[in-house]
Amino acid sequence: MAHKQTIGIIGLGMIGGSLALALKDRYAVVGYDIDDGVREYARANVCGVADSVADMRDCLVVFVCVPVAAMRETLVSVRAALGEGVIITDVASVKTPFVGVCTRYVGGHPMAGRERGGIEQAKAHLFENAYYCITDSGEDADIVRAVVEKTGAIPIFMTASEHDRAVSAFSHVPHAVAYASVTAALGESVQPIAGSGFMDSTRIAQSDERFWTEVFKLNRDNVRRGIKAVTAELDKIDGMLEGGDNAALIEYLAAARQKRIALNRVDLGGEELYVDLVDRIGEFERVTGALAHAGINVTNIALVPARTGANGALRLEFGSVADKLRAMRVLGLKEE
C-alpha cells in the first residue's frame, strides 16, 4: 500500500474540520487546535490530532484555519515552529494583509461556509464545486492547488488585491447590506411578516459579528467603496420613484435581472435545467433518483417555489452540456 502524504490543519473549526473530512481519504490528515474539547472531538470524529504545531514538520502542506484576527500572528509562529520544509497556506477571507508575512506562504480562500461555526458543523462535501481562490503562483501554489482539487473545489488563481476587490463586491458588501436591511426592516413599526424573499436575502446577517467586524476592518477601503456604489444604485432607484419615471425603472430592473440570470452560469460553472414538479409525494425522489440511477452527477440543486410558467420546479446544474442532455433524456424532457 502506497504511503500517504500528510496534510496538517491548524484550527479545527467548521472550515478546518471540513478540510480534514474532505481530504482524509486521500491523505494522512493531522490537526491541531488550542481548545482541548475540540481536539478530543476531532480525534473521535474527524482526523488525527497532533500534540503541538511542531509535530507537523513532516507535512506536505499545513492549512492555517484560525480566526482572521489571529491570522498574522499565527502564520509567523507556525513558520517558526515548522521551519522551511513545509508549505503554509491559509483560508482567510482577506488576503492583502498577509502578503509576505512569512516564507513559503500561499494565500488561499475557499468560497464556501455556513453561518454557524464550530467543528460540529464540518461537512466533507462543503467545498464541492465551490471556488477556491489561490493568491500566489509558483511551484508551492501548484502543490496547494493539487491538494485543494481533492476537496472537490474549483481552484482559481488571482492576485491578493484582485481577490480583495472581488470578495468585497460579492461577499463583504452583501453582508453589510444584509445587516443594514435587517436593522432597517425591524426598526419599522410594522408587523414582522417576513417572507422567503426577505429571509433569503438576509440569511447571511446571522453570521458572527466579531468575524465580520474584523473582515470589514481588514478590507476597509474596498468595503467602503462598495457601500458607496450600492448606495449610488439605490439613489438611482429613489430618483426614478421620485420622478415617477416608470419606463426608466423597468429598464433598470430588467438590466439588473439579466445580469443576475447570467451570473447563475458564471457562479456555478454549470448547465442549468428546470424540471417542473407535480404536487405529490415522492416527486423530488423520482427526479433525483432517476438521475442517480443513470450515473449523472448534479453539481447543484435548488427548489424554486415559483417561477414564470411553472408553479414549482427543481433547478438543476450539471458540469457539462452532455450531462444536461443525458438528464433531459432520462427525465423524458424535450431538448431546448
Side-chain angles (χ1 to χ4, degrees), residues 248-263:
L249 185 56
I250 289 173
E251 182 178 354
Y252 179 93
L253 297 179
R257 176 174 175 269
Q258 290 304 316
K259 290 178 180 178
R260 178 60 182 85
I261 290 172
L263 188 61

Side-chain angles (χ1 to χ4, degrees), residues 42-289:
R43 184 177 286 110
N45 302 284
V46 179
C47 63
V49 176
D51 292 327
S52 69
V53 172
D55 293 334
M56 296 184 177
R57 285 178 176 270
D58 294 330
C59 291
L60 173 67
V61 177
V62 169
F63 288 82
V64 179
C65 306
V66 301
V68 67
M71 185 60 72
R72 173 176 286 274
E73 179 182 358
T74 303
L75 289 171
V76 172
S77 63
V78 167
R79 172 53 70 210
L82 296 181
E84 296 296 321
V86 180
I87 300 167
I88 297 175
T89 186
D90 71 329
V91 297
S93 54
V94 183
K95 298 268 66 86
T96 53
F98 311 118
V99 172
V101 69
C102 66
T103 55
R104 298 202 71 187
Y105 162 74
V106 176
H109 179 208
M111 301 301 294
R114 301 160 66 90
E115 291 76 43
R116 296 179 181 178
I119 193 170
E120 297 85 358
Q121 302 299 321
K123 305 292 181 184
H125 61 270
L126 182 68
F127 309 103
E128 288 183 4
N129 300 305
Y131 285 135
Y132 198 113
C133 303
I134 298 175
T135 58
D136 285 281
S137 59
E139 184 178 349
D140 285 351
D142 287 338
I143 292 172
V144 171
R145 173 195 55 76
V147 174
V148 162
E149 285 179 335
K150 303 300 193 301
T151 71
I154 304 169
I156 55 173
F157 288 89
M158 59 182 64
T159 66
S161 59
E162 288 171 341
H163 169 275
D164 288 358
R165 290 196 301 271
V167 293
S168 174
F170 290 106
S171 177
H172 302 174
V173 172
H175 273 81
V177 171
Y179 285 116
S181 295
V182 168
T183 302
L186 297 183
E188 296 285 343
S189 299
V190 295
Q191 287 287 91
I193 54 172
S196 61
F198 182 83
M199 298 299 283
D200 289 346
S201 63
T202 61
R203 173 184 56 82
I204 53 179
Q206 299 173 98
S207 302
D208 183 76
E209 63 276 8
R210 297 175 189 84
F211 170 82
W212 281 102
T213 296
E214 191 66 23
V215 169
F216 291 160
K217 181 181 76 174
L218 289 174
N219 205 17
R220 177 176 177 270
D221 291 345
N222 286 317
V223 172
R224 293 192 67 214
R225 188 181 303 113
I227 288 173
K228 288 180 173 63
V230 171
T231 302
E233 296 302 321
L234 290 173
D235 285 341
K236 289 179 185 178
I237 295 174
D238 184 50
M240 295 173 204
L241 292 171
E242 183 180 27
D245 194 344
N246 292 338
L249 185 56
I250 289 173
E251 182 178 354
Y252 179 93
L253 297 179
R257 176 174 175 269
Q258 290 304 316
K259 290 178 180 178
R260 178 60 182 85
I261 290 172
L263 188 61
N264 288 333
R265 186 178 302 273
V266 173
D267 187 37
L268 298 175
E271 296 290 330
E272 66 178 30
L273 174 66
Y274 284 94
V275 180
D276 294 333
L277 297 178
V278 178
D279 186 11
R280 65 188 179 198
I281 295 174
E283 183 69 357
F284 182 91
E285 289 81 358
R286 177 187 69 81
V287 174
T288 57

